[in-house]
């Protein structure tokens, strides 16, 4: 129920000045309290907003920190792998160069004793009178030499009375076959062919019957 302003003013007019002063003070205090409450409420709202913003910033900062950590870890792994690969590449190139330069060392070392046998045979030939003995000595050296080559994977390509096979043989001449059974087969080998670990390194040059 609203108070009639006229009645209120009239009432105040009939009041004691001291009572009027008390009423005015109460009204001022009430207005001040309401204003203070409103300010407090506004301040609390701002604090909540600030706290929310701060929490969001902290969350983003934490996510950024974690992302930077992951990036640093990946960068470290990449640098390590890059260094390891570079070392591997250099080591492989060095081993390959050494293999090219010294790949035949084992074969040469195995042949050197045979060279020694040839030198002794040549020296003995200077004073030898028995041709059969000299021939036997040379055959022994030859067989020893072929045995060493076989240990290194070298094989002689078979040609005697074998059918012509262009994968292994090279026909250099064709002559009439002395027998019908020898037609299209190898009659003679002009130059021996060789294989290294099942790979042809020199074709056998042969004469074929027709």
């Amino acid at each position: 129920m609203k108070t009639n302003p006229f009645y209120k003013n009239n009432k105040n007019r009939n009041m004691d000045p001291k009572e009027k002063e008390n009423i005015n003070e109460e009204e001022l205090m009430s207005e001040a309290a309401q204003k203070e409450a409103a300010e407090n409420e506004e301040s609390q709202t701002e604090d909540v907003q600030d706290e929310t913003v701060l929490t969001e910033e902290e969350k983003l900062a934490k996510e950024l920190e974690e992302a930077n950590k992951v990036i640093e870890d990946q960068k470290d792994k990449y640098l390590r792998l890059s260094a390891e690969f570079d070392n591997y590449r250099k080591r492989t190139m060095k081993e390959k160069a050494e293999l090219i330069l010294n790949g035949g060392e084992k074969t040469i070392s195995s042949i050197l004793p045979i060279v020694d046998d040839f030198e002794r045979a040549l020296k003995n030939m200077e004073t030898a009178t028995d041709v059969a003995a000299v021939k036997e000595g040379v055959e022994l050296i030859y067989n020893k030499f072929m045995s060493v080559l076989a240990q290194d994977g070298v094989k002689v390509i078979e040609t005697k009375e074998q059918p012509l096979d262009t994968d292994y043989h090279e026909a250099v001449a064709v002559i009439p076959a002395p027998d019908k059974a020898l037609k299209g087969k190898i009659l003679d080998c002009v130059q021996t062919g060789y294989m290294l670990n099942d790979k042809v390194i020199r074709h056998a040059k042969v004469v074929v019957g027709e």
Side-chain angles (χ1 to χ4, degrees):
M1 181 176 178
K2 294 183 178 179
T3 305
N4 191 332
F6 174 80
Y7 171 79
K8 183 178 179 181
N9 293 334
N10 188 40
K11 183 180 178 182
N12 290 341
R13 199 178 296 117
N14 297 328
M15 283 184 180
D16 184 270
K18 189 174 182 181
E19 290 180 347
K20 288 183 179 181
E21 184 179 352
N22 291 336
I23 291 174
N24 291 334
E25 287 180 358
E26 289 177 358
E27 290 178 352
L28 290 174
M29 289 177 63
S30 177
E31 291 177 359
Q34 292 176 0
K35 184 177 180 181
E36 183 178 358
E39 290 177 351
N40 289 337
E41 183 178 356
E42 184 179 355
S43 177
Q44 289 177 358
T45 303
E46 291 178 353
D47 290 342
V48 171
Q49 292 177 349
D50 292 343
E51 184 177 353
T52 303
V53 172
L54 182 61
T55 303
E56 190 68 22
E57 289 180 353
E58 289 177 349
K59 183 179 178 182
L60 292 174
K62 186 176 180 181
E63 291 178 355
L64 179 60
E65 183 180 356
E66 291 176 353
N68 288 333
K69 185 177 180 181
V70 171
I71 292 172
E72 288 298 324
D73 290 342
Q74 294 298 325
K75 181 180 179 181
D76 183 64
K77 289 180 181 179
Y78 168 76
L79 292 175
R80 288 177 182 274
L81 287 174
S82 179
E84 289 177 2
F85 177 76
D86 189 54
N87 291 335
Y88 168 78
R89 182 179 60 82
K90 290 179 180 179
R91 184 172 63 253
T92 303
M93 290 179 63
K94 182 179 179 181
E95 291 174 353
K96 186 176 181 180
E98 290 178 352
L99 182 63
I100 293 173
L101 292 174
N102 305 315
E105 181 179 353
K106 180 181 177 181
T107 302
I108 298 299
S109 298
S110 62
I111 291 175
L112 291 179
I114 300 173
V115 175
D116 296 336
D117 291 341
F118 273 120
E119 289 177 350
R120 284 191 289 268
L122 290 172
K123 188 174 182 180
N124 290 332
M125 286 180 186
E126 294 177 358
T127 57
T129 56
D130 188 349
V131 177
V134 172
K135 181 182 177 182
E136 182 180 358
V138 173
E139 287 179 349
L140 290 173
I141 295 173
Y142 173 78
N143 291 332
K144 183 177 180 180
F145 182 59
M146 295 306 296
S147 176
V148 170
L149 291 180
Q151 292 176 5
D152 290 331
V154 178
K155 293 190 300 183
V156 175
I157 296 176
E158 295 293 333
T159 58
K160 188 176 181 180
E161 297 183 359
Q162 296 290 320
L164 180 66
D165 188 342
T166 54
D167 289 337
Y168 303 99
H169 311 129
E170 179 184 349
V172 294
V174 178
I175 62 174
D179 192 316
K180 290 183 179 180
L182 296 177
K183 285 186 178 181
K185 293 187 177 181
I186 297 172
L187 302 178
D188 188 21
C189 180
V190 179
Q191 187 179 70
T192 304
Y194 293 95
M195 297 175 61
L196 176 62
N197 297 323
D198 297 327
K199 178 184 178 182
V200 177
I201 57 176
R202 189 175 79 177
H203 289 76
K205 294 182 180 181
V206 297
V207 178
V208 182
E210 65 174 354

